[in-house]
Amino acid sequence: MNSSDDFDHDDLEFETPTGGPVRFKAEFGPDKVLPFRAPVVGRVIRLGRGWVVRQYRLPRSARGDLRAREALEHEVNAAVALERAHRRGEHPGLFLRVVGHDLDAEEPFVLYEPPPPGATRLLAARPSGRRLAVVMRQLLVAARLLERTGHVHRTIAPATVWWSGESVRIGEPHGALPVGHPRMPIGEAPWASPEQLEGQGHTDPRDDLWSVARVLYAAVSGQPGPPSEPPAELDAYPQLTALRDGRAFARRAGERRTVAEILELLNHPDPVPTHAQAATEQGEYARLVAEKRRRFGTRRRWGPRVDAPPSGGVGARFAMGDAGPDAAFQEEPAPREEAPEVLCPYCLGPVRYDENSLHLPNDQGDYEPFTPSEEPVELRRNDMLRRAFQRCENPSGIDEHHLPVPYLRNGQPLTIVTVGGSLSGKTHLLAAMISEIEQGGLEPYGITAEPLNPEWHQRFVRERLQPLRDGKVLPRTASTRFAQFADGLLLTSRGQTRPLMFFDLAGEDLEGHDEATRFLAGAGAFVFVVDPLRALRLPELDAHRERIGIRERDLGDEAFAAVLSRVPRSDGYVMTPSTVVLNKSDLVRFEPEVATWLLNPPPTQRIAATLGRESEEAYAFLRRHGSRAWLRPVADTARCTLHFVSATGRRERGGSYPNGVTPRRVLAPLLSILAMAGLVETGPEEVGL
């Protein structure tokens, strides 16, 4: 132990596993380099009057190491989830206790209590007989509890398992990843599974089962065994019969039985309680989906009606007409050489590309007439057309407005509207979404993107994307009398190009019924943004609510109700494809259902099935911790998905994000919408039904 002279003195503030902030007088020991955790460093800290803890910290010199920062975030998520779920349950003490953390500090860190006094490494203790049976059950229970929290430990090995004489204690989950996350190589043979060492496939709870089985084999036999194959002499160790019969030593995770099944072979009860309430909530969601499938059918693309006039607003593109329910699911028509007649998103009147009505904005922002045929150089003419606008004939007589020429010269436009009250994070979500697209986030789905109008996009980048990337909190969206697009893109998929436009209005404007919301009747898709601080009855959010001055609302979001009341319906349903996103999900990232999804990227395979599971679990989570009013879009819209999303990945402090932002799963809602619009291929299964 270091002498007191080796310690620096200061205060330390951090967040406890229950979510409350605390401050202690602290004495800091010297940093210790940890080769197996670099660039993270460790040190001993004395809190208060002698509470000794261990701190693992990402130093300032490594603040640009995004992989190390993400690994620390995964570790904290796993450690806190375990502490919350099981510290007060029937199986406390199987993991080193996490004391606190601060991921938003200038040097992010996590604190743990050290192993119990007198504890030794498991293999050094060489337990046998009854003690070995206790060790086996406890290690399997620990693996099952990890599975319950949605994490894979990945570093269970002789160096990370202690024995106190009565119970095991598993070390810090510094290699933890959410279940289903792409595997990344970590560990050493034979303790880490072959798939884990090779970085193949996706993390599986049975990765930890392999590690537990190999540690137990070494404890019984006194040797590590072959690096990647089942030990040849397993039959010689009857203590390992359940592991052998459960195929825990199989090379591939898919060949092993589950941890729960092996516990059953040992006649040990499953430590994970059944969630009758969750089953009820998921059953409620399943009934909603089944009713929609009964009415509207499945396995057809929700595309534009071939025979419907564009002046019909949303009915022209997504609603059912006289042809019956299946008319809403017709395949998109083949592209025509002539520019199609489309819907003006402002006045909802029909408009077709007309070279006699084109204008170019000048330096003052005024529109000046532009005749393409007067420009003889084709490359220059095409560039001018990209920047040009066409004046709408404006049959409704509202404010004069212009439409970008690329909006009129490509396929059927898709207009997306973010819906939610003030401070729900709509603007941050939209900025994060477009930022991910800018960085090639849609390319895995065969979609390329380019700006619809260069000046619009540059302004959005300058005023929204760049400040957010720089760690600044974006200003609230200003109220307006005439809604304008926030940004627009041209998406190309499978040889088809379609304009994608985003509306982002202030919450108070969405709650009104004036001309600012006229465009809602023609919207192509909605993103309903749920604020967890208003929607969820979770006590760990109380401190955040008090800090910001927000209260829970059992009556839901007024903007949701106002928008749903203004949109045309057919057969009782809003036919506009929609998503419900629990934004700021980082505030509840320690909840097992959230952790499983939030830290995994959107799917690139089995898209419909994966988004369907996320929708089911997000619905159950919102239903369990909030009122039914927040789920009204799911009940009211014919096609809807739900998602766990965080636009920033962390909390703001003093008007900024000191360590920058890390958007989480922000493209999942857009992926759902694009799949419903036919821009993403999902195979025979449908998204949202």
Side-chain angles (χ1 to χ4, degrees), residues 535-552:
L536 303 182
R537 307 186 194 101
L538 290 170
E540 58 261 37
L541 297 176
D542 289 343
H544 303 298
R545 280 189 273 261
E546 184 177 350
R547 179 173 58 89
I548 299 175
I550 287 179
R551 295 185 300 173
E552 296 174 41

Side-chain angles (χ1 to χ4, degrees), residues 378-498:
E378 182 179 2
L379 290 177
R380 177 173 167 77
R381 181 169 64 249
N382 290 337
D383 180 66
M384 296 171 75
L385 283 169
R386 287 189 64 205
R387 297 184 292 110
F389 288 79
Q390 178 174 317
R391 184 178 65 246
C392 179
E393 293 183 3
N394 194 11
S396 299
I398 64 173
D399 291 5
E400 182 177 289
H401 49 280
H402 296 72
L403 299 173
V405 165
Y407 179 89
L408 303 170
R409 300 184 72 196
N410 292 283
Q412 192 68 243
L414 176 60
T415 302
I416 297 178
V417 183
T418 57
V419 181
S422 296
L423 300 179
S424 60
K426 301 187 305 298
T427 300
H428 289 80
L429 175 59
L430 178 57
M433 190 181 293
I434 295 179
S435 179
E436 292 285 291
I437 297 173
E438 281 269 301
Q439 298 174 66
L442 292 178
E443 291 177 4
Y445 308 99
I447 298 175
T448 58
E450 59 180 311
L452 183 75
N453 178 269
E455 283 77 12
W456 270 8
H457 188 65
Q458 289 170 7
R459 182 170 64 247
F460 189 84
V461 169
R462 184 173 61 251
E463 297 178 358
R464 292 287 186 263
L465 264 61
Q466 197 57 56
L468 187 61
R469 289 179 183 175
D470 292 341
K472 297 179 181 177
V473 175
L474 300 180
R476 295 176 60 176
T477 304
S479 183
T480 184
R481 191 178 65 84
F482 186 84
Q484 295 278 359
F485 286 119
D487 196 12
L489 301 170
L490 284 175
L491 301 186
T492 301
S493 171
R494 293 178 290 167
Q496 295 187 7
T497 299
R498 293 180 64 177

